[in-house]
Short mmCIF file of all heavy atoms in Angstrom, two decimals:
data_model
loop_
_atom_site.label_atom_id
_atom_site.label_comp_id
_atom_site.label_asym_id
_atom_site.label_seq_id
_atom_site.Cartn_x
_atom_site.Cartn_y
_atom_site.Cartn_z
N ASP A 1 122.47 108.34 111.96
CA ASP A 1 123.56 107.99 112.87
C ASP A 1 123.08 106.95 113.88
O ASP A 1 123.81 106.01 114.22
CB ASP A 1 124.07 109.24 113.61
CG ASP A 1 124.89 110.15 112.71
OD1 ASP A 1 125.34 109.68 111.64
OD2 ASP A 1 125.07 111.33 113.06
N TYR A 2 121.85 107.12 114.38
CA TYR A 2 121.29 106.12 115.29
C TYR A 2 120.88 104.86 114.52
O TYR A 2 121.02 103.74 115.02
CB TYR A 2 120.08 106.70 116.03
CG TYR A 2 120.45 107.39 117.32
CD1 TYR A 2 120.82 108.72 117.34
CD2 TYR A 2 120.46 106.70 118.53
CE1 TYR A 2 121.19 109.36 118.51
CE2 TYR A 2 120.81 107.32 119.71
CZ TYR A 2 121.18 108.65 119.69
OH TYR A 2 121.56 109.27 120.87
N GLY A 3 120.39 105.04 113.30
CA GLY A 3 119.99 103.89 112.50
C GLY A 3 121.13 102.95 112.17
O GLY A 3 120.91 101.75 111.96
N MET A 4 122.37 103.47 112.15
CA MET A 4 123.54 102.63 111.84
C MET A 4 123.70 101.48 112.83
O MET A 4 124.28 100.45 112.51
CB MET A 4 124.81 103.48 111.83
CG MET A 4 124.98 104.37 110.62
SD MET A 4 126.63 105.13 110.51
CE MET A 4 126.69 106.11 112.01
N TYR A 5 123.18 101.68 114.07
CA TYR A 5 123.32 100.64 115.08
C TYR A 5 122.42 99.44 114.80
O TYR A 5 122.62 98.36 115.33
CB TYR A 5 123.01 101.21 116.47
CG TYR A 5 124.13 102.04 117.04
CD1 TYR A 5 124.34 103.35 116.60
CD2 TYR A 5 125.00 101.53 117.99
CE1 TYR A 5 125.37 104.12 117.11
CE2 TYR A 5 126.04 102.29 118.51
CZ TYR A 5 126.22 103.58 118.06
OH TYR A 5 127.25 104.34 118.56
N LEU A 6 121.40 99.67 113.98
CA LEU A 6 120.48 98.59 113.63
C LEU A 6 120.67 98.08 112.21
O LEU A 6 120.32 96.95 111.90
CB LEU A 6 119.02 99.08 113.79
CG LEU A 6 118.56 99.47 115.19
CD1 LEU A 6 117.12 99.97 115.15
CD2 LEU A 6 118.67 98.29 116.16
N TRP A 7 121.25 98.94 111.35
CA TRP A 7 121.31 98.60 109.93
C TRP A 7 122.53 99.27 109.30
O TRP A 7 122.66 100.48 109.32
CB TRP A 7 120.01 99.10 109.28
CG TRP A 7 119.91 98.89 107.80
CD1 TRP A 7 120.17 97.76 107.11
CD2 TRP A 7 119.49 99.86 106.84
NE1 TRP A 7 119.95 97.96 105.78
CE2 TRP A 7 119.54 99.24 105.58
CE3 TRP A 7 119.09 101.20 106.92
CZ2 TRP A 7 119.19 99.91 104.41
CZ3 TRP A 7 118.75 101.87 105.78
CH2 TRP A 7 118.79 101.22 104.53
N HIS A 8 123.42 98.45 108.73
CA HIS A 8 124.66 98.97 108.15
C HIS A 8 124.41 99.85 106.92
O HIS A 8 125.26 100.66 106.56
CB HIS A 8 125.60 97.82 107.78
CG HIS A 8 126.15 97.10 108.98
ND1 HIS A 8 126.90 97.73 109.95
CD2 HIS A 8 126.05 95.80 109.37
CE1 HIS A 8 127.24 96.87 110.88
NE2 HIS A 8 126.73 95.69 110.57
N GLY A 9 123.26 99.71 106.31
CA GLY A 9 122.94 100.52 105.14
C GLY A 9 122.78 102.00 105.47
O GLY A 9 122.76 102.84 104.58
N ALA A 10 122.69 102.32 106.80
CA ALA A 10 122.54 103.71 107.20
C ALA A 10 123.88 104.44 107.30
O ALA A 10 123.91 105.63 107.59
CB ALA A 10 121.82 103.79 108.55
N GLU A 11 124.99 103.73 107.06
CA GLU A 11 126.30 104.37 107.12
C GLU A 11 126.45 105.37 105.97
O GLU A 11 125.81 105.23 104.92
CB GLU A 11 127.40 103.31 107.06
CG GLU A 11 127.41 102.38 108.27
CD GLU A 11 128.41 101.25 108.14
OE1 GLU A 11 129.00 101.12 107.04
OE2 GLU A 11 128.60 100.52 109.11
N PRO A 12 127.32 106.40 106.13
CA PRO A 12 127.48 107.42 105.09
C PRO A 12 127.82 106.81 103.74
O PRO A 12 128.63 105.88 103.64
CB PRO A 12 128.64 108.28 105.63
CG PRO A 12 128.57 108.11 107.12
CD PRO A 12 128.12 106.70 107.34
N GLY A 13 127.21 107.33 102.71
CA GLY A 13 127.43 106.83 101.35
C GLY A 13 126.22 107.10 100.48
O GLY A 13 125.25 107.74 100.89
N LEU A 14 126.28 106.58 99.27
CA LEU A 14 125.22 106.83 98.29
C LEU A 14 123.88 106.30 98.77
O LEU A 14 122.85 106.99 98.65
CB LEU A 14 125.60 106.19 96.95
CG LEU A 14 124.53 106.29 95.84
CD1 LEU A 14 124.23 107.74 95.51
CD2 LEU A 14 124.99 105.53 94.60
N PHE A 15 123.87 105.08 99.32
CA PHE A 15 122.60 104.49 99.73
C PHE A 15 121.96 105.29 100.86
O PHE A 15 120.75 105.49 100.90
CB PHE A 15 122.78 103.03 100.15
CG PHE A 15 121.48 102.29 100.28
CD1 PHE A 15 120.75 101.94 99.16
CD2 PHE A 15 120.96 101.97 101.53
CE1 PHE A 15 119.54 101.27 99.27
CE2 PHE A 15 119.76 101.31 101.65
CZ PHE A 15 119.05 100.96 100.51
N ARG A 16 122.80 105.76 101.79
CA ARG A 16 122.28 106.61 102.88
C ARG A 16 121.66 107.88 102.30
O ARG A 16 120.59 108.30 102.74
CB ARG A 16 123.39 106.96 103.86
CG ARG A 16 123.00 108.03 104.89
CD ARG A 16 124.03 108.10 105.98
NE ARG A 16 123.88 109.28 106.82
CZ ARG A 16 124.28 109.34 108.09
NH1 ARG A 16 124.83 108.30 108.66
NH2 ARG A 16 124.15 110.44 108.78
N ASN A 17 122.31 108.48 101.32
CA ASN A 17 121.77 109.69 100.69
C ASN A 17 120.43 109.43 100.03
O ASN A 17 119.51 110.25 100.10
CB ASN A 17 122.77 110.25 99.68
CG ASN A 17 124.00 110.86 100.34
OD1 ASN A 17 124.00 111.14 101.53
ND2 ASN A 17 125.05 111.04 99.57
N LEU A 18 120.32 108.26 99.41
CA LEU A 18 119.05 107.90 98.78
C LEU A 18 117.96 107.71 99.84
O LEU A 18 116.81 108.11 99.64
CB LEU A 18 119.20 106.62 97.96
CG LEU A 18 120.06 106.74 96.70
CD1 LEU A 18 120.27 105.37 96.07
CD2 LEU A 18 119.40 107.69 95.69
N MET A 19 118.33 107.12 100.98
CA MET A 19 117.37 106.92 102.05
C MET A 19 116.98 108.26 102.69
O MET A 19 115.83 108.45 103.11
CB MET A 19 117.94 105.98 103.11
CG MET A 19 118.07 104.54 102.63
SD MET A 19 116.49 103.87 102.03
CE MET A 19 115.49 103.96 103.51
N ILE A 20 117.93 109.19 102.80
CA ILE A 20 117.60 110.53 103.29
C ILE A 20 116.57 111.18 102.39
O ILE A 20 115.56 111.75 102.85
CB ILE A 20 118.88 111.41 103.37
CG1 ILE A 20 119.74 110.98 104.57
CG2 ILE A 20 118.51 112.89 103.49
CD1 ILE A 20 121.09 111.69 104.64
N ALA A 21 116.79 111.06 101.07
CA ALA A 21 115.84 111.62 100.10
C ALA A 21 114.48 110.95 100.24
O ALA A 21 113.43 111.61 100.14
CB ALA A 21 116.37 111.45 98.68
N PHE A 22 114.48 109.64 100.51
CA PHE A 22 113.23 108.90 100.67
C PHE A 22 112.47 109.38 101.91
O PHE A 22 111.25 109.63 101.86
CB PHE A 22 113.51 107.41 100.78
CG PHE A 22 112.29 106.58 101.09
CD1 PHE A 22 111.36 106.30 100.10
CD2 PHE A 22 112.07 106.11 102.38
CE1 PHE A 22 110.22 105.56 100.39
CE2 PHE A 22 110.93 105.36 102.68
CZ PHE A 22 110.00 105.08 101.67
N VAL A 23 113.17 109.54 103.05
CA VAL A 23 112.53 109.97 104.29
C VAL A 23 111.96 111.38 104.15
O VAL A 23 110.79 111.64 104.49
CB VAL A 23 113.53 109.92 105.47
CG1 VAL A 23 112.94 110.61 106.71
CG2 VAL A 23 113.88 108.47 105.81
N VAL A 24 112.78 112.29 103.63
CA VAL A 24 112.32 113.68 103.46
C VAL A 24 111.17 113.74 102.46
O VAL A 24 110.17 114.44 102.67
CB VAL A 24 113.48 114.59 103.01
CG1 VAL A 24 112.98 116.01 102.74
CG2 VAL A 24 114.58 114.61 104.06
N GLY A 25 111.30 112.98 101.36
CA GLY A 25 110.25 112.95 100.36
C GLY A 25 108.94 112.40 100.90
O GLY A 25 107.86 112.93 100.61
N THR A 26 109.04 111.36 101.73
CA THR A 26 107.84 110.76 102.33
C THR A 26 107.13 111.74 103.26
O THR A 26 105.91 111.90 103.21
CB THR A 26 108.20 109.48 103.10
OG1 THR A 26 108.80 108.54 102.21
CG2 THR A 26 106.97 108.86 103.73
N LEU A 27 107.91 112.43 104.11
CA LEU A 27 107.33 113.42 105.01
C LEU A 27 106.68 114.56 104.23
O LEU A 27 105.62 115.07 104.61
CB LEU A 27 108.41 113.99 105.95
CG LEU A 27 108.91 113.04 107.04
CD1 LEU A 27 110.12 113.64 107.75
CD2 LEU A 27 107.81 112.76 108.06
N THR A 28 107.31 114.94 103.13
CA THR A 28 106.76 116.01 102.28
C THR A 28 105.43 115.57 101.68
O THR A 28 104.43 116.32 101.72
CB THR A 28 107.75 116.37 101.17
OG1 THR A 28 108.98 116.82 101.75
CG2 THR A 28 107.18 117.46 100.27
N ILE A 29 105.39 114.36 101.15
CA ILE A 29 104.16 113.84 100.53
C ILE A 29 103.03 113.72 101.56
O ILE A 29 101.88 114.08 101.29
CB ILE A 29 104.43 112.49 99.84
CG1 ILE A 29 105.33 112.71 98.62
CG2 ILE A 29 103.13 111.82 99.42
CD1 ILE A 29 105.87 111.42 98.03
N ILE A 30 103.37 113.20 102.75
CA ILE A 30 102.37 113.05 103.80
C ILE A 30 101.75 114.41 104.13
O ILE A 30 100.53 114.54 104.29
CB ILE A 30 103.00 112.44 105.07
CG1 ILE A 30 103.30 110.96 104.84
CG2 ILE A 30 102.07 112.61 106.28
CD1 ILE A 30 104.10 110.31 105.95
N ASN A 31 102.59 115.44 104.20
CA ASN A 31 102.09 116.78 104.52
C ASN A 31 101.29 117.39 103.39
O ASN A 31 100.39 118.18 103.63
CB ASN A 31 103.26 117.69 104.92
CG ASN A 31 103.64 117.56 106.37
OD1 ASN A 31 103.15 118.30 107.21
ND2 ASN A 31 104.49 116.59 106.67
N ILE A 32 101.61 117.02 102.16
CA ILE A 32 100.81 117.50 101.03
C ILE A 32 99.43 116.85 101.06
O ILE A 32 98.41 117.51 100.78
CB ILE A 32 101.52 117.20 99.68
CG1 ILE A 32 102.74 118.12 99.53
CG2 ILE A 32 100.56 117.42 98.50
CD1 ILE A 32 103.59 117.82 98.31
N TYR A 33 99.37 115.59 101.44
CA TYR A 33 98.10 114.87 101.46
C TYR A 33 97.22 115.24 102.65
O TYR A 33 96.04 114.92 102.68
CB TYR A 33 98.36 113.35 101.48
CG TYR A 33 98.55 112.77 100.10
CD1 TYR A 33 99.75 112.95 99.43
CD2 TYR A 33 97.54 112.06 99.47
CE1 TYR A 33 99.94 112.43 98.15
CE2 TYR A 33 97.71 111.53 98.19
CZ TYR A 33 98.91 111.72 97.54
OH TYR A 33 99.09 111.22 96.27
N GLY A 34 97.78 115.87 103.66
CA GLY A 34 96.98 116.26 104.83
C GLY A 34 97.73 116.03 106.11
O GLY A 34 98.61 115.17 106.17
N VAL A 35 97.38 116.77 107.18
CA VAL A 35 98.21 116.75 108.38
C VAL A 35 97.46 116.46 109.68
O VAL A 35 98.07 116.48 110.74
CB VAL A 35 98.94 118.11 108.53
CG1 VAL A 35 99.90 118.32 107.38
CG2 VAL A 35 97.96 119.26 108.64
N LYS A 36 96.17 116.18 109.62
CA LYS A 36 95.43 115.99 110.87
C LYS A 36 96.02 114.87 111.73
O LYS A 36 96.27 115.03 112.92
CB LYS A 36 93.96 115.71 110.58
CG LYS A 36 93.17 116.96 110.20
CD LYS A 36 91.69 116.65 110.12
CE LYS A 36 90.88 117.92 109.86
NZ LYS A 36 89.43 117.65 109.78
N LYS A 37 96.24 113.71 111.09
CA LYS A 37 96.78 112.57 111.84
C LYS A 37 98.23 112.83 112.24
O LYS A 37 98.69 112.41 113.31
CB LYS A 37 96.67 111.30 111.01
CG LYS A 37 95.23 110.83 110.82
CD LYS A 37 95.17 109.53 110.05
CE LYS A 37 93.72 109.06 109.90
NZ LYS A 37 93.62 107.80 109.11
N ALA A 38 98.97 113.53 111.37
CA ALA A 38 100.37 113.83 111.66
C ALA A 38 100.49 114.70 112.91
O ALA A 38 101.36 114.49 113.76
CB ALA A 38 101.03 114.52 110.47
N VAL A 39 99.61 115.68 113.04
CA VAL A 39 99.64 116.56 114.21
C VAL A 39 99.38 115.77 115.48
O VAL A 39 100.05 115.96 116.50
CB VAL A 39 98.61 117.70 114.05
CG1 VAL A 39 98.47 118.47 115.36
CG2 VAL A 39 99.02 118.64 112.93
N GLY A 40 98.42 114.86 115.44
CA GLY A 40 98.14 114.02 116.60
C GLY A 40 99.33 113.15 116.97
O GLY A 40 99.66 112.99 118.15
N ALA A 41 100.00 112.61 115.95
CA ALA A 41 101.17 111.75 116.19
C ALA A 41 102.31 112.56 116.82
O ALA A 41 103.01 112.08 117.72
CB ALA A 41 101.64 111.12 114.89
N ILE A 42 102.50 113.79 116.36
CA ILE A 42 103.55 114.64 116.91
C ILE A 42 103.31 114.90 118.40
O ILE A 42 104.23 114.84 119.22
CB ILE A 42 103.62 115.97 116.14
CG1 ILE A 42 104.15 115.72 114.71
CG2 ILE A 42 104.53 116.97 116.86
CD1 ILE A 42 103.98 116.91 113.80
N SER A 43 102.06 115.16 118.76
CA SER A 43 101.73 115.41 120.17
C SER A 43 102.04 114.19 121.03
O SER A 43 102.60 114.31 122.12
CB SER A 43 100.25 115.78 120.30
OG SER A 43 99.96 116.96 119.59
N ILE A 44 101.69 113.02 120.53
CA ILE A 44 101.96 111.78 121.28
C ILE A 44 103.47 111.56 121.42
O ILE A 44 103.97 111.25 122.50
CB ILE A 44 101.30 110.57 120.58
CG1 ILE A 44 99.76 110.70 120.65
CG2 ILE A 44 101.76 109.26 121.22
CD1 ILE A 44 99.03 109.69 119.79
N LEU A 45 104.22 111.74 120.32
CA LEU A 45 105.66 111.52 120.33
C LEU A 45 106.36 112.50 121.28
O LEU A 45 107.38 112.15 121.88
CB LEU A 45 106.23 111.67 118.92
CG LEU A 45 105.91 110.52 117.95
CD1 LEU A 45 106.26 110.90 116.52
CD2 LEU A 45 106.65 109.26 118.36
#
């Protein structure tokens, strides 16, 4: 919803659904590969 203000491809539809799958899939893969750096990033954020 916030991304729509920067990029029209984030509007509801098939492409948005594909991007949702990409974001969730990427976070899943990152966590499978290890989380030390991710934990540090979360604390900073």
Side-chain angles (χ1 to χ4, degrees):
D1 286 342
Y2 271 87
M4 285 190 299
Y5 283 78
L6 296 178
W7 177 48
H8 291 300
E11 295 175 353
L14 176 61
F15 193 72
R16 170 168 167 153
N17 289 343
L18 291 173
M19 290 304 298
I20 286 174
F22 174 77
V23 169
V24 176
T26 300
L27 288 171
T28 300
I29 291 169
I30 288 172
N31 276 267
I32 289 174
Y33 275 77
V35 296
K36 282 188 176 181
K37 291 183 179 179
V39 170
I42 291 168
S43 298
I44 293 170
L45 287 168

